[in-house]
Amino acid sequence: MRQLFAGVAFFPERHLLPSRSRKKNQKIKISWRKGTFSTDWSRSSMLLFFRRTTAALRIFPSPFLSPARFLSALPATLSPPEKPNSDTTQPLTKPQLTTLVLAQYHHGKFSNLLQNIISSPSVLLTACHNLIHGGPNSPAPPSIDSISSNFFSITDMSEEICQNRFSFESCILKMTNKGEPISLVLPNLKLKVLIESIRMVLEVIYDDRFATFSYGGRVGMGRHTAIRYLKNTVENPSWWFTVSFNNKTEFSIENTNSLCLIIEEKIKDEMFIDIIKRLIMSKVISLDLGGSYLGKGLPQECGLNSILINIYLNPFDQRLQELRLHINKKTPESRLIEEDESNHVFHKPLKIYAVRYLDEILVITSGSKGLTMNLKKQVVQFLDKNLCLEIDRGKPSFTVPCPRKLRF
């Protein structure tokens, strides 16, 4: 007998009884519950509700619908799955970005940063929001659809970066004056988003590796923090010196190659390093130390300038830290011995204080003049030979500190 419930035909046989199941190697399972009837066929379940009736069952012939005939009755073509809506792309928080970057750390180096991190639409959208300096009453940050409709397509930009097809020439504007030897290169909004994305990734990798006396271009480590450190930490200074760079020379190809070698110590990604090199060679970002042709100080077109300067001078910071520890440990006899009015002898420990704000370096010591001069000689020698930086030796940079005036 064939019984039809809700348009589905079931064929009870002797081996399909209530509250019993077939063997494990068979696919059909049938069970009864009060008011319900369920079956299991090829790992798919179907639940039917039924009620008891006193009317006679109507028996009618019904052809058996095999799976082949059932599938043949379906439409010939099925609609493709819907693409994920671009509205689902949301900007990342700092912990989320940190987690993504640290996931690329393998065997002591970071890899595939360009294809897996920077080309991500979420990272690019986060960079767009970082470029907006909004106040408390500013409107909500734009969505990815708003940016794509009004400015450029983040999805297309993501594909260009991932496939290494991003064009720098179409994203820059060069401005020159007659008779001026240097032109001003301005990036458009699309290129600024890429630069900000690179800065965000480099900040996650290097910020915790910078020295504690490295200021500038870091969150919570600005010029006011550096001045506060000098005011509250430096005690009994005896001698101090500064290091100035020659602003007549530009950041050369040799300096650029040295920077890439320093980055390669932590990052193994040729495409990522090549983009940084192209940004420097095209003058989109300027790393001229000791001032620039267009004005005093380090050019601050974008935050990537500052972090690249800190990366380039990070080996110097480590070397200076080693010199500080070496002098404090190996030359205890250089500590001054003084005697007060009560004829009590006490030791005045030798201390070395250092502050580097981007390309400006200040070193203060509480030791003798000879010790300070020897320290300055080693500092200048390291910058000249290891980092290929030209020191301006013409400026006076060695004097007795005055408590009321310190030019830095």
Side-chain angles (χ1 to χ4, degrees), residues 192-206:
K192 286 183 179 180
V193 172
L194 175 60
I195 293 174
E196 176 63 18
S197 302
I198 297 175
R199 185 205 65 80
M200 291 160 43
V201 173
L202 291 178
E203 182 182 24
V204 173
I205 297 175
Y206 283 98

Side-chain angles (χ1 to χ4, degrees), residues 325-341:
L325 297 176
H326 176 75
I327 293 176
N328 292 336
K329 177 185 291 187
K330 199 170 183 178
T331 58
E333 65 276 2
S334 63
R335 297 179 179 180
L336 301 179
I337 301 177
E338 296 184 359
E339 188 174 340
D340 59 4
E341 297 178 355

Side-chain angles (χ1 to χ4, degrees), residues 340-353:
D340 59 4
E341 297 178 355
S342 303
N343 295 327
H344 294 292
V345 179
F346 64 93
H347 295 271
K348 182 180 179 181
L350 173 63
K351 292 185 178 181
I352 299 176
Y353 306 94

Side-chain angles (χ1 to χ4, degrees), residues 85-351:
N85 192 355
S86 58
D87 291 336
T88 59
T89 303
Q90 299 295 331
L92 303 176
T93 60
K94 185 64 177 294
Q96 290 174 342
L97 178 62
T98 303
T99 303
L100 290 178
V101 175
L102 294 181
Q104 305 300 317
Y105 186 79
H106 304 287
H107 306 290
K109 291 186 178 182
F110 294 87
S111 59
N112 299 326
L113 295 176
L114 188 68
Q115 294 184 338
N116 296 344
I117 305 297
I118 297 179
S119 62
S120 173
S122 299
V123 176
L124 297 176
L125 181 60
T126 306
C128 293
H129 290 186
N130 291 346
L131 295 176
I132 300 175
H133 303 282
N137 298 326
S138 60
S143 62
I144 186 173
D145 290 337
S146 176
I147 296 175
S148 301
S149 59
N150 296 322
F151 301 100
F152 60 90
S153 175
I154 291 184
T155 304
D156 295 343
M157 180 180 176
S158 174
E159 295 178 357
E160 293 174 0
I161 297 174
C162 186
Q163 299 174 6
N164 199 17
R165 295 186 294 103
F166 190 86
S167 176
F168 284 85
E169 292 74 13
S170 60
C171 298
I172 59 176
L173 174 64
K174 293 184 178 181
M175 302 179 62
T176 57
N177 292 331
K178 295 182 179 179
E180 298 294 340
I182 300 178
S183 60
L184 182 62
V185 181
L186 301 177
N188 64 358
L189 180 60
K190 186 176 181 180
L191 185 54
K192 286 183 179 180
V193 172
L194 175 60
I195 293 174
E196 176 63 18
S197 302
I198 297 175
R199 185 205 65 80
M200 291 160 43
V201 173
L202 291 178
E203 182 182 24
V204 173
I205 297 175
Y206 283 98
D207 192 66
D208 294 337
R209 293 176 169 84
F210 290 145
T212 56
F213 55 86
S214 172
Y215 297 87
R218 303 176 61 187
V219 178
M221 300 287 285
R223 59 182 181 272
H224 297 288
T225 310
I227 296 175
R228 191 180 304 113
Y229 166 78
L230 293 174
K231 181 180 179 181
N232 300 332
T233 308
V234 177
E235 297 179 354
N236 301 319
S238 300
W239 298 88
W240 64 275
F241 66 87
T242 60
V243 179
S244 302
F245 298 101
N246 193 347
N247 58 359
K248 295 182 180 179
T249 57
E250 299 180 357
F251 204 78
S252 61
I253 299 178
E254 186 178 5
N255 298 127
T256 305
N257 294 333
S258 299
L259 175 62
C260 294
L261 291 177
I262 295 174
I263 297 177
E264 288 178 357
E265 295 178 0
K266 294 295 180 183
I267 300 176
K268 185 180 179 181
D269 192 339
E270 296 181 358
M271 296 172 59
F272 178 79
I273 297 177
D274 181 67
I275 284 185
I276 296 178
K277 190 173 183 179
R278 291 169 61 186
L279 289 173
I280 298 175
M281 299 304 297
S282 62
K283 300 299 180 182
V284 175
I285 56 177
S286 179
L287 299 180
D288 299 335
L289 303 178
S292 64
Y293 177 81
L294 300 177
K296 297 181 179 180
L298 182 70
Q300 300 291 330
E301 289 90 354
C302 61
L304 185 58
N305 297 52
S306 302
I307 194 170
L308 289 180
I309 288 294
N310 289 331
I311 293 174
Y312 190 71
L313 294 178
N314 189 50
F316 163 76
D317 297 339
Q318 297 176 358
R319 176 57 179 168
L320 184 58
Q321 183 67 16
E322 293 175 0
L323 292 175
R324 294 171 61 184
L325 297 176
H326 176 75
I327 293 176
N328 292 336
K329 177 185 291 187
K330 199 170 183 178
T331 58
E333 65 276 2
S334 63
R335 297 179 179 180
L336 301 179
I337 301 177
E338 296 184 359
E339 188 174 340
D340 59 4
E341 297 178 355
S342 303
N343 295 327
H344 294 292
V345 179
F346 64 93
H347 295 271
K348 182 180 179 181
L350 173 63
K351 292 185 178 181

Side-chain angles (χ1 to χ4, degrees), residues 359-370:
D359 61 336
E360 301 181 19
I361 302 172
L362 170 65
V363 180
I364 303 175
T365 69
S366 60
S368 62
K369 180 178 180 180

